[in-house]
């Protein structure tokens, strides 16, 4: 698949062929869904906790004697059926981590990238830069490149793109992401993918 390459002013400067193994892969919706669910699940902290009867303070003394009162026998006021008692079958800290083989994760990302390519939602730029770290400059460039659509912007590294990162932080419909951290969730969340040629090389190295 051959696509046009633009500069930051929206002018076509050349063209480039997208690697077919990445951008023309088999689109597997079920695999993308599995990867998406895994990513959201692994983001859960699992720190929720409730107290059992042994963890609730108080209740160490038997509320009344075992026999002779006419009431049901009770051993503690912190039993689950008492107000203020401990919980039963309530949440406790545990891990939500789901495993997924690396080949399946890569295949899911290639599927998502292929969806973007089939929808003409990939904008390739020759070089991603701004003259100074100003939000208005980046907003103007994105408006030229993607219009009103939301944009996921891939960068190959942080060091050389500090001004771009600062210029994008206050744009609500845009997100900067390292090309090495590309994932199905972000690809599906944003309308357009802004892809510098340097980031394309990173994708080809990691996924090709």
């Amino acid at each position: 698949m051959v696509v046009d390459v633009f500069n930051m002013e929206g002018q076509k400067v050349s063209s480039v062929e997208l690697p077919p193994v990445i951008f023309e892969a088999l689109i597997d919706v079920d695999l993308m869904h599995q990867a998406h669910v895994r990513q959201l699940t692994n983001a859960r902290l699992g720190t929720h906790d409730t107290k059992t009867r042994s963890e609730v303070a108080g209740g160490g003394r038997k509320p009344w004697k075992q026999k002779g009162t006419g009431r049901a026998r009770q051993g503690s006021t912190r039993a689950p059926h008492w107000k203020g008692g401990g919980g039963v079958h309530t949440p406790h800290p545990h891990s939500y981590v789901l495993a997924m083989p690396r080949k399946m994760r890569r295949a899911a990302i290639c599927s998502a990238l292929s969806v973007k390519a089939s929808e003409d939602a990939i904008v390739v730029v020759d070089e991603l830069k701004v003259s100074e770290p100003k939000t208005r400059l980046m907003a103007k460039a994105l408006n030229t490149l993607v219009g009103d659509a939301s944009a996921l912007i891939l960068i190959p590294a942080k060091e050389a793109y500090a001004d771009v990162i600062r210029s994008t932080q206050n744009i609500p419909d845009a997100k900067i992401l390292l090309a090495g951290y590309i994932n199905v969730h972000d690809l599906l969340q944003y309308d357009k993918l802004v892809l510098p040629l340097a980031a394309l090389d990173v994708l080809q190295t990691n996924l090709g």
Side-chain angles (χ1 to χ4, degrees), residues 109 113 152 154 177-184 187 193 203 207:
I109 293 174
L113 288 171
L152 176 65
L154 296 187
L177 183 68
L178 287 172
Y181 292 160
I182 190 171
N183 57 84
V184 173
L187 285 173
L193 176 66
L203 292 183
L207 301 175

Side-chain angles (χ1 to χ4, degrees), residues 180-201:
Y181 292 160
I182 190 171
N183 57 84
V184 173
H185 175 68
D186 285 327
L187 285 173
L188 297 178
Q189 188 175 5
Y190 291 88
D191 301 326
K192 298 282 187 177
L193 176 66
V194 178
L195 188 62
L197 290 176
L200 179 60
D201 294 336

